[in-house]
């Protein structure tokens, strides 16, 4: 982070670590900027993320705006991107209705004048599983084979669905309050072209895996305008999303005991077909 700040001409003294999971996220206090650090293997995706978020913000869509510096900045095996910092506003908490409204607008938004890649349904899960020193050989083989099955199913399903801009990781923790614009959507690392239904999955799975009330999905569905009878495609997309969530935990398990424990919990429930097992966020 410090090396990237030097390249970008930004002051990093007094930087405060906000969170470590898929990214290490810092607040650069003197610049009032957020720096996001992750593995350099994501370089092309981060270029897309920065360009797409900047374009959407210029179009008036409430996307978190990247800083106007040459980025991503690559430092050895890592890269850093820089973003506007939005302070927490006391008394304001995002809900699924806010998320549903933003996603409806995003999915109806015209495509950008530059190519967006197709979304990758299971993300980096295969690469992360292949490189992991935490997974057993049996777990690794099962997960790689399962990803292949799900990707084949997604290809067949995608031909029957509409396509548009898809955020790729749409949940309420990726909304930040803005004094002038209500709520803005952050974390564009997985943006691409795909079926809008893919963005429903983080909320769709909350009752099933995280113990949220079933009314949460109904509120999201109403806010977005999804037909009450639901969608028969959602089960396959839910299974894809479940597997995709393992990726950050596989990487984190190398150094974080809590991530390692939750990886074991999630993976064993998937391998045994236990749909009732409770999962836990980090």
């Amino acid at each position: 982070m410090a090396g990237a700040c030097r390249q970008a001409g930004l002051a990093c003294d007094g930087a405060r670590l906000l969170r470590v999971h898929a990214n290490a996220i810092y607040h650069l206090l003197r610049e009032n900027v957020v720096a996001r650090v992750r593995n350099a293997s994501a370089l092309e995706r981060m270029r897309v993320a920065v360009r797409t978020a900047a374009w959407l913000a210029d179009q008036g869509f409430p996307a978190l705006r990247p800083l106007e510096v040459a980025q991503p900045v690559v430092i050895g095996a890592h890269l850093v991107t820089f973003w506007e910092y939005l302070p927490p506003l006391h008394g304001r908490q995002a809900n699924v209705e806010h998320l549903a409204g933003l996603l409806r607008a995003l999915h109806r938004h015209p495509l950008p004048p530059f190519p967006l890649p197709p979304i990758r349904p299971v993300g980096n899960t295969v690469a992360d599983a292949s490189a992991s020193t935490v997974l057993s050989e049996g777990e690794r083989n099962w997960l790689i084979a399962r990803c292949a099955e799900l990707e084949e199913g997604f290809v067949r399903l995608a031909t029957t669905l509409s396509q548009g801009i898809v955020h790729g990781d749409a949940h309420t923790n990726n909304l930040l309050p803005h004094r002038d614009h209500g709520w803005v959507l952050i974390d564009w690392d997985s943006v691409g072209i795909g079926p809008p239904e893919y963005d429903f999955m983080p909320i769709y799975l909350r009752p099933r895996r995280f113990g949220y009330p079933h009314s949460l999905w109904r509120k999201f569905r109403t806010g977005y305008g999804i037909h009450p009878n639901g969608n028969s495609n959602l089960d396959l997309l839910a299974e894809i999303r479940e597997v995709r969530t393992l990726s950050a935990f596989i990487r984190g398990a190398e150094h974080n005991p809590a991530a390692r424990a939750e990886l074991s919990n999630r993976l064993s429930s998937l391998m045994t077909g236990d749909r009732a097992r409770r999962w836990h966020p980090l």
Side-chain angles (χ1 to χ4, degrees), residues 157 160-162 195-198 200-201 204 217 221 226-238:
L157 175 61
T160 69
L161 301 174
S162 62
E197 291 87 347
Y198 188 83
F200 303 166
M201 290 303 102
Y204 183 73
W217 169 241
R221 191 176 62 198
I226 303 170
H227 193 277
N229 290 335
N231 188 318
S232 60
N233 301 317
L234 297 185
D235 282 342
L236 173 61
L237 292 174

Side-chain angles (χ1 to χ4, degrees), residues 16-247:
R16 181 167 61 97
L17 181 65
L18 300 178
R19 174 173 166 79
V20 178
H21 190 40
N23 301 267
I25 304 174
Y26 292 87
H27 179 201
L28 308 183
L29 297 174
R30 285 183 55 186
E31 305 286 356
N32 210 26
V33 164
V34 166
R36 304 176 77 239
V37 185
R38 67 173 302 152
N39 193 286
S41 62
L43 177 60
E44 198 53 45
R45 287 194 293 123
M46 294 305 97
R47 285 175 174 158
V48 171
V50 168
R51 187 179 189 187
T52 304
W55 177 80
L56 284 168
D58 287 343
Q59 296 291 306
F61 182 86
L64 186 68
R65 187 180 290 277
L67 208 63
E68 292 185 4
V69 297
Q71 60 169 320
V73 178
V74 177
I75 302 288
H78 294 85
L79 63 81
V80 183
T81 55
F82 300 98
W83 303 80
E84 175 187 9
Y85 173 74
L86 295 179
L89 298 178
H90 298 297
R92 295 185 60 184
Q93 186 171 356
N95 59 42
V96 293
E97 289 94 337
H98 297 135
L99 179 64
L102 284 179
L103 288 180
R104 185 176 63 246
L106 178 67
H107 297 156
R108 296 177 179 178
H109 199 286
L111 297 181
F114 50 86
L116 280 181
I119 60 169
R120 302 173 309 142
V122 297
N124 284 336
T125 310
V126 171
D128 290 333
S130 299
S132 174
T133 61
V134 171
L135 296 175
S136 70
E137 183 177 0
E139 290 171 333
R140 181 181 298 107
N141 292 340
W142 181 90
L143 186 52
I144 291 172
R146 182 60 176 148
C147 285
E149 293 173 356
L150 292 172
E151 286 185 328
E152 289 175 6
F154 181 81
V155 169
R156 291 192 297 270
L157 175 61
T159 62
T160 69
L161 301 174
S162 62
Q163 304 285 303
I165 303 175
V166 170
H167 178 271
D169 193 23
H171 50 79
T172 51
N173 290 339
N174 277 336
L175 294 181
L176 289 180
H178 194 287
R179 292 188 181 277
D180 302 321
H181 306 300
W183 297 91
V184 298
L185 196 52
I186 70 170
D187 191 356
W188 294 89
D189 296 13
S190 302
V191 68
I193 298 295
E197 291 87 347
Y198 188 83
D199 273 343
F200 303 166
M201 290 303 102
I203 303 304
Y204 183 73
L205 284 171
R206 279 187 173 180
R208 180 159 113 185
R209 287 301 190 183
F210 298 97
Y212 284 78
H214 289 281
S215 60
L216 192 78
W217 169 241
R218 292 196 296 271
K219 289 177 180 178
F220 178 87
R221 191 176 62 198
T222 300
Y224 187 94
I226 303 170
H227 193 277
N229 290 335
N231 188 318
S232 60
N233 301 317
L234 297 185
D235 282 342
L236 173 61
L237 292 174
E239 292 173 4
I240 290 170
R241 174 72 188 185
E242 286 176 330
V243 164
R244 183 177 180 134
T245 68
L246 299 180
S247 191

